[in-house]
Amino acid sequence: MNKEEFLQGLTKALSGKVPPEAIRENLRYYEEYIRTEMGKGRSESDIMEELGSPRLIARTIIDTTPGAGDEAYDSYSNGYSEQGNVSRDGFSGNGRAGGNYRQGGGIRYYDLNKWYWKLLGIVIVIMVVTLVLMVVGGILSIVIPLLPVIGVVVLVMWLIRGGSGR
């Protein structure tokens, strides 16, 4: 595997699963790492062997990127595609990054389908139900001892009015 195949594999494995910014950042990192190591005199094949599978690296990136998940983002395309109309730095002639992706305009998209978000939702629902029951129980614990007193007051008022309900 050479550098281009590695970067294509990494792009393909990350596409749609992490934000486009994360893909660009990681591609930049590995491209720079490979360039630096080759500058030290190491061969490209040694570096690729050291790095290992781009899919395995992508899985680690997906697992450690906040908000990442299965198909949570539109696919991302860059300079390592077969299109040929994108320059080496990943940008087309109009200055925009190549490929299709959602620009959130400052809005961040979170994938709430992860098991820990579901668990958090269940815990919050249980806490709200518990709080409501505690409030209702507290109100009843105050009112129930007063019921005989309220009953006596209502009975006395009924007797004072004459008992006929006029």
Side-chain angles (χ1 to χ4, degrees):
M1 175 182 306
N2 64 25
K3 172 184 165 183
E4 297 299 318
E5 291 170 338
F6 174 83
L7 294 173
Q8 282 179 359
L10 186 60
T11 302
K12 183 178 178 185
L14 291 174
S15 185
K17 295 186 172 44
V18 296
E21 304 84 46
I23 296 173
R24 282 192 295 273
E25 181 182 314
N26 282 288
L27 288 176
R28 238 181 273 125
Y29 170 80
Y30 283 104
E31 196 171 16
E32 181 62 30
Y33 176 79
I34 294 167
R35 188 177 12 255
T36 302
E37 291 299 308
M38 287 176 73
K40 293 178 182 177
R42 294 184 62 195
S43 72
E44 188 174 298
S45 61
D46 287 344
I47 299 167
M48 294 300 108
E49 188 176 318
E50 174 190 321
L51 288 174
S53 169
R55 287 185 3 187
L56 193 58
I57 292 172
R59 185 74 252 167
T60 304
I61 293 168
I62 292 166
D63 289 345
T64 59
T65 300
D70 293 332
E71 306 307 320
Y73 299 91
D74 290 339
S75 62
Y76 172 80
S77 175
N78 67 8
Y80 301 105
S81 66
E82 296 85 23
Q83 296 170 355
N85 63 348
V86 181
S87 67
R88 185 170 181 267
D89 63 356
F91 291 89
S92 61
N94 62 8
R96 292 189 52 205
N100 300 321
Y101 60 90
R102 246 182 287 164
Q103 287 189 332
I107 297 173
R108 193 166 181 136
Y109 297 97
Y110 291 98
D111 180 17
L112 299 179
N113 287 328
K114 303 269 185 183
W115 67 269
Y116 47 85
W117 288 114
K118 291 176 183 176
L119 178 64
L120 180 63
I122 291 170
V123 168
I124 289 173
V125 167
I126 290 171
M127 289 176 63
V128 167
V129 168
T130 303
L131 181 66
V132 167
L133 290 175
M134 288 174 64
V135 169
V136 169
I139 291 171
L140 288 177
S141 69
I142 293 171
V143 171
I144 288 176
L146 296 177
L147 283 179
V149 174
I150 293 171
V152 169
V153 169
V154 169
L155 180 64
V156 169
M157 289 178 63
W158 181 72
L159 289 174
I160 290 175
R161 288 189 178 166
S164 63
R166 294 183 233 170

